[in-house]
Amino acid sequence: MENLQALAAEKARLEKAINDTVLQLGQLGVSMDESLVDSEDYPRGDIDVHAARMSRSELRRLRSDYKDVLAKIEAGLAAVHAASKREETGAGPAPMSPSTPAVLPAFLVVGPVTALSPAAEAGLQSGDKIVRFGSINAGNFAGMGTIADLVRHSEGVRATHVLARCNSMNPTAACFKLPDARNRSCCL
């Protein structure tokens, strides 16, 4: 539990640092995706290009660290909840892993899946019923924004989704890497 509290403190520190760095970029008059060169490919004279590049680099590092901390918090919370559930039921079952998914209610049904899309590359098929997507399940699903937030904050991080196939009574778990925003590719 202390480890989770330390991770929560680190998460708060990173959030503040990210916000400060975004403000610093704003004060420099540039955003993360705005060009630092003019139309003739010379460094812009209206901004401090070096400071902008340093701030952008720092922001990328902070966001990467933030994703790592979120993944550690998610894993820690899952372990705490699994331990709590085992304590409530006595010996109880082992915590859910990709090879032994628990039976949970589905909260989404996959529609048409386009070939070579991140969904297809993650192994999803049309008609699959999503039981768990990363840390999201029927109990905490609050709409598609929940999924979008998880994907946005977990780009490039390995995650697990649990689904029930149309033709199967047993849920199937699969690990996949969430797509990176830059290349939108996904791999199992």
Side-chain angles (χ1 to χ4, degrees), residues 166-185:
C166 303
N167 56 359
S168 173
M169 296 300 288
N170 296 324
T172 303
C175 288
F176 64 99
K177 189 172 182 180
L178 290 171
D180 188 322
R182 288 172 290 285
N183 63 15
R184 293 289 180 206
S185 65

Side-chain angles (χ1 to χ4, degrees), residues 136-159:
I136 301 169
N137 59 41
N140 61 6
F141 178 68
M144 290 305 291
T146 311
I147 301 285
D149 287 343
L150 175 74
V151 171
R152 184 173 32 258
H153 290 99
S154 303
E155 290 175 351
V157 176
R158 187 158 292 286

Side-chain angles (χ1 to χ4, degrees), residues 2-187:
E2 291 112 23
N3 187 30
L4 282 175
Q5 291 171 339
L7 287 170
E10 178 66 8
K11 176 181 171 270
R13 184 194 69 76
L14 287 169
E15 287 171 343
K16 182 180 179 336
I18 288 170
N19 288 336
D20 291 347
T21 306
V22 168
L23 287 174
Q24 184 179 15
L25 274 172
Q27 291 171 348
L28 291 170
V30 67
S31 66
M32 280 297 287
D33 48 341
E34 189 175 339
S35 179
L36 300 179
V37 295
D38 61 19
S39 61
E40 296 175 351
D41 287 333
Y42 287 103
R44 287 176 44 188
D46 61 329
I47 59 172
D48 183 349
V49 173
H50 176 70
R53 290 185 64 161
M54 295 301 290
S55 293
R56 285 178 173 183
S57 176
E58 177 69 7
L59 187 56
R60 285 185 197 101
R61 184 191 63 77
L62 289 169
R63 286 179 174 168
S64 176
D65 291 349
Y66 185 75
K67 289 176 193 177
D68 292 343
V69 168
L70 286 180
K72 290 177 184 175
I73 289 172
E74 182 180 345
L77 287 174
V80 166
H81 288 292
S84 173
K85 189 164 218 135
R86 281 193 306 273
E87 286 175 10
E88 289 175 9
T89 61
M96 188 166 93
S97 72
S99 60
T100 60
V103 177
L104 299 170
F107 63 95
L108 283 175
V109 176
V110 177
V113 177
T114 307
L116 301 177
S117 69
E121 292 181 21
L124 295 176
Q125 297 175 7
S126 182
D128 284 346
K129 295 177 182 171
I130 305 295
V131 174
R132 185 170 64 106
F133 187 88
S135 60
I136 301 169
N137 59 41
N140 61 6
F141 178 68
M144 290 305 291
T146 311
I147 301 285
D149 287 343
L150 175 74
V151 171
R152 184 173 32 258
H153 290 99
S154 303
E155 290 175 351
V157 176
R158 187 158 292 286
T160 301
H161 63 265
V162 178
L163 50 99
R165 296 260 185 238
C166 303
N167 56 359
S168 173
M169 296 300 288
N170 296 324
T172 303
C175 288
F176 64 99
K177 189 172 182 180
L178 290 171
D180 188 322
R182 288 172 290 285
N183 63 15
R184 293 289 180 206
S185 65
C186 192
C187 56

